[in-house]
Each structure stands twice: as C-alpha cells, then as structure tokens.
Amino acid sequence: MLDKKFSPERQTAFEARFEAQKIAFGPVVFQCVRYAWKRGMLQTLADAGETGLTVVEMAASGRWTEYALKVVLETCLSAGVVFVHGGRYALDKAGFCVLTDSITQINIDFNHDVCYQGLFKLDESLDAEKPIGLKALGEWPTLYQGLSELSEPAKTSWFAFDHYYSDTSFPSIMPDVFATAPRKVMDVGANTGKFSCVALDYNADVELHLVDLPRQLSVAATALETAGVRERAHLHPTDLLDPALALPSGMDLIWMSQFLSCFSEPAIATILERASAALAPQGQLLVMDTFWDRQRYDIASYCLINTSPYFTAMASGNSKIYESGDYVRLAEAAGLKLLTARDGIGYCHSLLRFGRAE
C-alpha cells in the first residue's frame, strides 16, 4: 500500500471542520449546481461576463423565479461556482469548468442519471456485497445484464462515462497491442466491440475473438458489421462469473480493458487463471485499466476512487477501482509475471503486460 494524503499538510482544525461540512452537504450542493447548469443559469452568467447580473435582472427573463435563483445561486456561491460583487452574480472558475469541461459534465450526468438514487442503498450494498441500489434502474442481478436495456437518460450517461475513459486511450495503444505481431487476439469483456473494431482496422491480418455476455456481443456484432470487419471476428458468448467456462485457447494475445474492475478479487483470480491457460506458449496478456495509485495528478485519483461506490451499489456489489498491485498479485497467483507497465495513456489509463511465468 502506497503512502497517500489528499488533505493539505498544514490544515487547521477549523479548516478540517469546514471540509467536513462540505461532505455533509455534498448531495445538496451537487443537485443545486446541476440545476444551475442544466437550467441555463450558469450559461446566462457566462454570457453576462465580468459585470454579472442581479437576481432581479435574471428573473426578468421569465426563465426562473427570484426564489429559485436565490436558493440555487446561493448554494453555487458556497461551492465556488459563482461569486457576488456589488450584489451581482458572476461565473467563477469552478462554474466555468461545469459549463465547459467535458469530463466534469460526463461525471455529473453519470452520477445523477446512473448512481444517485441507487447510492441511497450503499450501506445495504456494502453489507451484503450485492448491488442492491441497482433496483433504482431495473431488476437484474448485476448492471452488466441490463446495459442494453437501460432506460434513458441512464443508458446514454453510462456509455458516455465508459467510453470517455476508454476512447481517449484506444488510438495510442495499438502499437503496444501489436508489438509482438500477434495473429490471434482475444478481447475479453468486449462490450460494444469498440476495441475490436479499432484493432481489426489497424491490422488487416489479425483474427479477433470477442468474449462477453450474449447481449453485449449482439451489440458488438452490429458494430463489427457496420465497420465492415465482421468476417475476421469470432464471438464467444460467455458468463465469465462461471469459473467452469474455459476461454478459447491458443491466443497470441489476450486483451482486457476496463474489465477486471467489474469483478471481485476471487472472480478476477479465476478469470486470470483461465486467461493464462488460454495463452499460446509465447502469448501475452495486456491489461489496460484505471489504477488510482498510478495517477500523476490527484484529480484523476479522486475521480477513480469515488467511482468504486458505483460498482458496489449499482454494478456488481463486490468490485471497485483497484490498485495496480492487486492485479499483479492475482496475476502472479495465476502463473503470470509482469513484464512491463506503462502509465499516462489517455485520460488516466495504465497498461500492464504479462507473460507466463517460467
């Protein structure tokens, strides 16, 4: 376990107490800032520039009542999203981020549309290690069985969140994927087939094997057809939570992206054991994931750490964003050894390359 501290080195007791109140009122602040963004208050203040606007001037537009403006903007003020000068509200730097920064907007939408109601059941989910909060979205044992059936806006927000973190990484890792000239590549946890489509387009000779739940593979098949690469792809519907189900063997390379974090440590152990058995003699396993302990900036670690409760309450009940050392330990137990590790891929990804231990 690495040494880590997010609070300032010389934080006073009074400052710590203020930070504690931000935690206590966090849900209130979240909803008010989201309202100000979604209902156009922040954009109106941005358009007004440094001179800002009074509550009366904003209410004159007829879009909001003075009451709604006072309630919401005062909370935004307390969060540093707006500031007041001479009785006039203006957009502050954090408000500018909410209004213009894609990852901030994606995170807000994901937490509101996918997680917010279900997180009310986080205590029960942690105690039972089951995604009890998922009932807010639908009746599935885990979120993964219901992804293709999610209602809106949860479906759009989930895929926007998932793809933002992965799509920024895929273009830069193709040289890593094909560094050993693999001919047979297996995409375990293929999801919508994005990686497979990119890999098949990048290398005209590679043969892709996609492994995932049947519903996910049906979505991937459509993507492969649209991309014109379906003939070089083989689909293997598999419930990876069943340790008795082996993976297709003889693979030169096995690829896992943002996949193992969907499972508990015991499940990861069985998946890695089956992956090790599926490798050709000189085959390798590439794992790309978001490890909170390998981030250069605290902002990335913060976002990743606070994604773990989503996995608890909504996704599986027993998975999380892991430290990289957890994967290395479980891989070694499965007969694999870490060959290389590369950080700084895309927004916050690292790439771990494993080979069979001698």
Side-chain angles (χ1 to χ4, degrees):
M1 178 69 176
L2 77 169
D3 295 332
K4 186 67 180 174
K5 182 181 176 71
F6 282 89
S7 60
E9 287 297 328
R10 296 175 180 256
Q11 186 180 52
T12 67
F14 186 81
E15 290 168 340
R17 196 179 189 199
F18 188 15
E19 292 302 311
Q21 305 323 302
K22 293 178 184 179
I23 296 169
F25 285 93
V28 176
V29 174
F30 176 88
Q31 291 292 359
C32 285
V33 172
R34 179 184 176 275
Y35 183 95
W37 168 40
K38 294 290 186 178
R39 298 300 179 90
M41 290 181 185
L42 298 185
Q43 185 60 60
T44 297
L45 291 176
D47 294 341
E50 294 181 0
T51 56
L53 293 166
T54 66
V55 167
V56 173
E57 288 171 338
M58 292 181 73
S61 70
R63 298 176 65 185
W64 319 279
T65 65
E66 288 189 25
Y67 169 77
L69 286 162
K70 288 179 180 178
V71 168
V72 172
L73 290 179
E74 285 167 10
T75 291
C76 288
L77 172 66
S78 74
V81 172
V82 300
F83 65 93
V84 178
H85 59 99
R88 306 177 75 82
Y89 280 98
L91 198 66
D92 212 339
K93 290 178 181 177
F96 181 79
C97 289
V98 172
L99 196 57
T100 63
D101 180 51
S102 7
I103 189 58
T104 300
Q105 295 177 347
I106 285 169
N107 285 341
I108 289 174
D109 284 341
F110 174 74
N111 280 306
H112 182 269
D113 300 336
V114 178
C115 305
Y116 204 90
Q117 294 184 64
L119 282 172
F120 189 77
K121 298 290 186 180
L122 179 62
D123 51 353
E124 296 177 40
S125 300
L126 285 166
D127 291 342
E129 293 193 6
K130 293 181 179 179
I132 294 173
L134 180 57
K135 288 183 173 61
L137 298 179
E139 295 290 336
W140 308 289
T142 72
L143 180 67
Y144 309 112
Q145 281 91 345
L147 274 179
S148 60
E149 302 174 21
L150 281 176
S151 59
E152 295 293 355
K155 187 173 186 177
T156 295
S157 294
W158 189 93
F159 280 103
F161 180 83
D162 180 74
H163 288 171
Y164 184 90
Y165 284 90
S166 59
D167 289 0
T168 57
S169 306
F170 284 167
S172 66
I173 49 79
M174 285 300 128
D176 296 277
V177 172
F178 291 102
T180 56
R183 300 300 294 270
K184 291 180 70 175
V185 175
M186 181 159 58
D187 182 3
V188 181
N191 202 351
T192 60
K194 279 214 166 194
F195 166 80
S196 293
C197 287
V198 173
L200 287 165
D201 180 65
Y202 184 88
N203 188 306
D205 299 319
V206 71
E207 172 187 306
L208 252 294
H209 293 258
L210 286 72
V211 178
D212 212 323
L213 293 167
R215 286 177 181 171
Q216 302 312 111
L217 288 184
S218 66
V219 176
T222 301
L224 292 163
E225 290 281 2
T226 303
V229 293
R230 178 66 180 85
E231 71 281 358
R232 287 188 288 134
H234 308 272
L235 308 183
H236 304 274
T238 307
D239 182 356
L240 287 153
L241 284 172
D242 185 346
L245 298 179
L247 294 171
S249 61
M251 296 295 154
D252 299 316
L253 188 94
I254 296 177
W255 169 262
M256 299 179 186
S257 174
Q258 288 182 206
F259 171 68
L260 293 177
S261 54
C262 301
F263 300 95
S264 66
E265 284 201 17
I268 293 172
T270 70
I271 292 168
L272 290 175
E273 287 167 5
R274 284 175 278 165
S276 180
L279 287 173
Q282 301 303 315
Q284 295 185 348
L285 166 67
L286 276 182
V287 176
M288 187 170 76
D289 221 320
T290 51
F291 304 108
W292 71 261
D293 63 311
R294 300 187 72 95
Q295 303 305 313
R296 182 177 178 184
Y297 300 109
D298 281 351
I299 183 173
S301 296
Y302 181 89
C303 292
L304 293 173
I305 285 172
N306 290 298
T307 302
S308 287
Y310 143 78
F311 285 105
T312 307
M314 310 302 298
S316 66
N318 53 20
S319 60
K320 65 188 293 292
I321 299 294
Y322 290 94
E323 291 182 58
S324 57
D326 294 326
Y327 283 12
V328 174
R329 169 175 48 84
L330 293 167
E332 288 175 347
L336 300 165
K337 63 178 178 180
L338 181 67
L339 301 177
T340 61
R342 182 160 81 87
D343 300 323
I345 302 169
Y347 181 67
C348 54
H349 282 81
S350 296
L351 189 66
L352 307 182
R353 183 182 295 271
F354 296 94
R356 279 181 167 170
E358 296 179 0

